[in-house]
Amino acid sequence: MRFLLVEDNRDLAASVKARLSMDGHGVDVAHSLAEAGDCLQAASYDLILLDIMLPDGDGRDFLARHRKAEGATPVIVMTARSAVSDRVDALDTGADDYITKPFDFAELEARCRAVLRRRGGVAQATRTFADLVFDQMAATLAVAGDLRDLRTREMRLMELFIAAPGRILSKEHLVDRLFSFSEPVSDNAIEVYVGRLRKKMLGSRARIETVRGLGYRLTETPE
């Protein structure tokens, strides 16, 4: 998944980015609303983490403009304001969730997972396709009952494929979803991660098919 973090406290931003990157997410950081607007013009995101008090304005105004422009990206508001009225105001403006600073990283990660599950219409952490059972919380893939552990990038790649079985996903799309602007990406990075995921899927009827010149798609071999 690719996140946009809008936070002017550089130490906090660096810590949050490092923690989410460890989970395999691509995280772009904006230290102002102007930078956040530039990021939204240049890329699409699965989730926005938005501070309220920023040097060039109020994050709630940014959120209101984003929703008015029919921006559907889920937003978690992060702020030191803890009054009920502040939380209600943020939610009424269009936030999907709210977390008060200082927060525990484990709680932030859990809220991110919950918002993304709700956005995808998935109540559970597991997804199935053919004889695969993908557990996002445990970072495992079960092939006909045989449990295999997934590394962070393998897990994020599996999330993309299993959310859109049969759909062709281009290399450009996969790079955009897995990496941030600041991460160096080699020409064969996607091939490497697809190859690793294919090994974890050995023995399954499901397979990641290469569509020459277009990308990859998750398909099923008939029994």
Side-chain angles (χ1 to χ4, degrees), residues 63-75 93-96 119:
L63 174 58
R65 291 194 300 271
H66 179 60
R67 291 294 185 237
K68 188 175 182 179
E70 299 184 356
T73 307
V75 176
T93 303
D96 295 83
R119 202 65 176 185

Side-chain angles (χ1 to χ4, degrees), residues 6-213:
V6 188
E7 169 61 61
D8 64 325
N9 184 313
R10 293 178 182 270
D11 290 338
L12 177 59
S15 297
V16 172
K17 177 176 180 174
R19 183 60 179 257
L20 294 175
S21 296
M22 287 174 60
D23 288 338
H25 299 294
V27 183
D28 293 322
V29 177
H31 297 298
S32 67
L33 296 180
E35 290 180 12
D38 291 341
C39 288
L40 287 175
Q41 289 291 323
S44 60
Y45 294 93
D46 299 291
L47 180 65
I48 298 172
L49 301 173
L50 178 65
D51 189 19
I52 291 296
M53 300 303 294
L54 290 150
D56 56 348
D58 191 313
R60 288 168 297 187
D61 294 334
F62 174 87
L63 174 58
R65 291 194 300 271
H66 179 60
R67 291 294 185 237
K68 188 175 182 179
E70 299 184 356
T73 307
V75 176
I76 297 177
V77 166
M78 307 183 305
T79 181
R81 294 179 175 179
S82 58
V84 172
S85 59
D86 291 320
R87 297 199 297 271
V88 170
D89 187 39
L91 294 169
D92 284 345
T93 303
D96 295 83
D97 203 352
Y98 188 108
I99 189 167
T100 303
K101 301 176 184 177
F103 49 76
D104 186 273
F105 284 137
E107 181 185 359
L108 177 63
E109 291 169 324
R111 288 182 180 274
C112 290
R113 290 193 297 268
V115 167
L116 290 170
R117 286 199 302 272
R118 291 200 301 268
R119 202 65 176 185
V122 181
Q124 293 82 28
T126 59
R127 301 287 295 269
T128 61
F129 179 78
D131 55 354
L132 293 179
V133 178
F134 171 51
D135 189 327
Q136 296 168 278
M137 290 287 292
T140 59
L141 190 66
V143 178
D146 180 23
L147 204 62
R148 294 125 190 236
D149 292 327
L150 298 177
R151 295 182 178 180
T152 52
R153 296 289 190 197
E154 297 165 356
M155 180 176 66
R156 299 308 171 198
L157 193 58
M158 191 69 232
E159 285 179 348
L160 296 171
F161 281 120
I162 208 163
R167 176 183 169 190
I168 298 174
L169 304 180
S170 69
K171 287 183 181 179
E172 293 77 12
H173 174 76
L174 296 176
V175 167
D176 181 68
R177 302 267 54 82
L178 293 175
F179 300 94
S180 65
F181 288 127
S182 61
E183 292 179 279
V185 183
S186 64
D187 291 340
N188 67 337
I190 295 301
E191 288 94 331
V192 170
Y193 289 116
V194 167
R196 291 178 182 175
L197 188 54
R198 281 171 169 161
K199 289 181 180 179
K200 299 293 176 70
M201 294 169 58
L202 287 175
S204 172
R205 298 197 315 273
R207 65 191 184 94
I208 298 174
E209 176 187 10
T210 298
V211 183
R212 190 172 297 277

